[in-house]
């Protein structure tokens, strides 16, 4: 059995169908069916059985799946040990992170990368979204986990994993006219014009939330009464809850607000921030960088839940590494 075919067995077990596995693996279903038939004939035993239109491994199939995962792991270990003998094998990835959540996501991805490339190192650089974007353009970073208001970045340079709408949080003690009655996802919609006389807690300069706020206030035709600029969005949330001022926060942070202390509204424009891994212009990824981004996307899938939103670049990269979950898990356990 070729190494590539080891993934066939694993993917069939994961997808529980030949059609699903064939789609992920990028081969035809008849070819995958012929492969399984040939293996079962060679071994003289069935590897899978069908029940209610799903395939399940037989006891022999379970042994085969575990062995396939182990053989893949051994091959990868051997290859990276050989690569480590080269003088130029050391790899240093400089990754920008815009906040604690991004830094944590990147940190959780490191063990799997290190498991495959033990001579690689990942160096986090903390900064605002706009500063990190500038550093990317100057070639001082390899990639950055950040938010942007423009998801239509050139193909292949932005690996998106989330989209979060920016909401308005108004302390309940503030007196206001009735908002518009239209609602969306449980939030009434309000226009900024109604908040002209309210004090605002502005997002930090250089963040996508600040850019959105500036554009919205420009459209509304007035300059807000900014009484505080919050570098930490959690501080903006707390200040809104204490009645200090109106805040503009992205979901799901806005959803964490105490509804007895603040009212949450959507804006007619439904402004949103798109989150993902951004590369510099004309940046070409090597194997280490590709794996790091893929691991970050996997961590995002665990943390974002229903708000996970892959774009085309993200989906292609995830498909490229489909079938390697066991290897990554093993690498995490071995370090």
């Amino acid at each position: 059995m070729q190494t590539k075919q080891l993934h066939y067995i694993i993917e069939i077990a994961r997808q529980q169908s030949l059609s699903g596995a064939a789609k992920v693996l990028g081969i035809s279903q008849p070819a995958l069916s012929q492969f399984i038939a040939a293996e079962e004939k060679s071994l003289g035993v069935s590897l899978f059985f069908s029940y209610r239109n799903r395939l399940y491994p037989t006891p022999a199939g379970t042994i085969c799946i575990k062995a396939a995962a182990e053989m893949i792991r051994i091959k990868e270990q051997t290859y990276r040990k050989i690569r480590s003998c080269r003088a130029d094998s050391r790899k240093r990835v400089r990754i920008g992170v815009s906040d604690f959540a991004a830094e944590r996501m990147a940190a959780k991805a490191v063990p799997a990368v290190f498991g495959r490339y033990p001579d690689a190192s990942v160096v986090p650089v903390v900064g605002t979204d706009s500063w990190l974007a500038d550093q990317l353009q100057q070639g001082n970073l390899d990639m950055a986990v950040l938010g942007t208001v423009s998801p239509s970045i050139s193909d292949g340079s932005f690996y998106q994993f989330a989209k979060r709408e920016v909401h308005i949080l108004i302390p309940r003690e503030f007196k206001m006219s009735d908002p518009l009655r239209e609602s969306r996802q449980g939030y009434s919609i309000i226009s900024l014009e109604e908040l002209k006389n309210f004090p605002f807690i502005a997002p930090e300069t250089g963040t996508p939330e600040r850019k959105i706020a500036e554009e919205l206030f420009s459209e509304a035709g007035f300059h807000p009464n900014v009484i505080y600029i919050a570098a930490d969005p959690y501080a903006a949330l707390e200040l809104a809850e204490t009645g200090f001022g109106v805040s503009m926060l992205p979901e799901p942070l806005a959803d964490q607000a105490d509804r007895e202390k603040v009212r949450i509204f959507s804006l007619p424009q439904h402004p949103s921030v798109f989150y993902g891994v951004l590369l510099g212009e004309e940046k070409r990824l090597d194997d280490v960088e590709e794996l790091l981004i893929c691991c970050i996307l996997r961590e995002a899938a665990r943390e974002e839940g229903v708000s996970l939103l892959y774009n085309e670049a993200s989906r292609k990269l995830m498909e490229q590494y489909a079938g390697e979950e066991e290897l990554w898990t093993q690498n995490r356990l071995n370090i």
Side-chain angles (χ1 to χ4, degrees):
M1 188 188 300
Q2 297 179 9
T3 305
K4 180 175 69 174
Q5 294 174 330
L6 296 173
H7 294 292
Y8 294 178
I9 295 288
I10 294 172
E11 197 59 44
I12 292 171
R14 181 182 295 109
Q15 301 297 329
Q16 296 186 310
S17 74
L18 291 175
S19 59
K23 184 177 180 181
V24 171
L25 294 166
I27 63 174
S28 67
Q29 182 175 337
L32 191 58
S33 180
Q34 291 173 11
F35 161 73
I36 287 296
E39 288 299 315
E40 291 180 333
K41 182 178 180 181
S42 174
L43 295 170
V45 64
S46 296
L47 298 177
F48 295 92
F49 69 92
S50 178
Y51 178 69
R52 293 185 176 180
N53 296 322
R54 291 183 179 272
L55 292 179
Y56 298 90
T58 63
T62 300
I63 294 173
C64 188
I65 292 166
K66 291 182 178 179
E70 180 65 12
M71 284 187 279
I72 292 172
R73 186 185 68 82
I74 291 173
K75 177 189 174 182
E76 291 298 329
Q77 276 188 340
T78 302
Y79 275 34
R80 66 174 175 259
K81 286 179 180 178
I82 292 173
R83 284 193 292 264
S84 68
C85 294
R86 302 199 313 261
D88 62 346
S89 63
R90 300 193 66 83
K91 171 67 179 180
R92 183 170 178 263
V93 182
R94 300 159 300 174
I95 180 169
V97 289
S98 59
D99 55 28
F100 173 73
E103 185 174 9
R104 182 182 60 185
M105 195 176 297
K108 287 185 176 181
V110 169
V113 176
F114 183 78
R116 176 176 289 190
Y117 302 103
D119 290 320
S121 62
V122 179
V123 181
V125 178
V126 182
T128 64
D129 298 84
S130 61
W131 182 82
L132 292 175
D134 288 340
Q135 293 300 302
L136 281 171
Q137 300 309 312
Q138 295 174 26
N140 297 326
L141 293 175
D142 297 298
M143 63 185 70
V145 185
L146 46 69
T148 176
V149 297
S150 175
S152 57
I153 304 173
S154 58
D155 292 340
S157 65
F158 187 60
Y159 295 83
Q160 182 177 306
F161 56 72
K163 174 186 176 183
R164 299 169 187 159
E165 183 176 340
V166 175
H167 295 302
I168 297 290
L169 276 65
I170 305 176
R172 287 194 173 274
E173 63 188 65
F174 286 11
K175 295 182 180 180
M176 56 184 295
S177 59
D178 290 336
L180 300 178
R181 294 304 180 184
E182 180 186 358
S183 63
R184 180 176 184 268
Q185 296 181 347
Y187 297 123
S188 295
I189 296 180
I190 193 170
S191 63
L192 281 181
E193 287 83 352
E194 297 186 53
L195 309 177
K196 195 175 290 187
N197 298 320
F198 286 179
F200 276 85
I201 303 162
E204 183 182 14
T205 303
T207 63
E209 291 83 4
R210 179 60 175 265
K211 183 176 181 179
I212 286 174
E214 291 173 349
E215 292 177 352
L216 291 175
F217 285 121
S218 178
E219 291 177 9
F222 72 94
H223 294 287
N225 175 23
V226 176
I227 58 175
Y228 188 80
I229 298 177
D232 183 351
Y234 285 95
L237 172 60
E238 184 175 345
L239 289 172
E241 290 179 337
T242 57
F244 193 67
V246 176
S247 291
M248 302 179 70
L249 294 173
E251 53 183 353
L253 184 57
D255 295 333
Q256 299 178 26
D258 188 338
R259 302 301 180 88
E260 295 183 358
K261 297 178 180 178
V262 299
R263 286 174 286 189
I264 307 176
F265 297 93
S266 288
L267 290 163
Q269 300 89 341
H270 302 300
S272 298
V273 179
F274 298 83
Y275 294 87
V277 182
L278 180 64
L279 309 179
E281 292 183 3
E282 300 181 356
K283 165 72 176 179
R284 292 191 176 183
L285 296 173
D286 59 26
D287 293 343
V288 177
E289 293 166 338
E290 278 192 349
L291 182 58
L292 177 59
I293 293 175
C294 198
C295 291
I296 289 173
L297 295 176
R298 284 167 49 83
E299 292 300 332
R302 293 188 179 97
E303 296 189 9
E304 295 295 327
V306 294
S307 64
L308 180 73
L309 185 65
Y310 287 151
N311 62 355
E312 184 178 358
S314 299
R315 288 193 296 271
K316 285 184 178 179
L317 188 60
M318 293 298 286
E319 290 171 1
Q320 179 180 331
Y321 281 85
E324 300 197 19
E325 292 185 7
E326 287 79 5
L327 175 61
W328 293 350
T329 301
Q330 187 68 43
N331 286 336
R332 287 182 176 213
L333 296 176
N334 286 344
I335 61 174

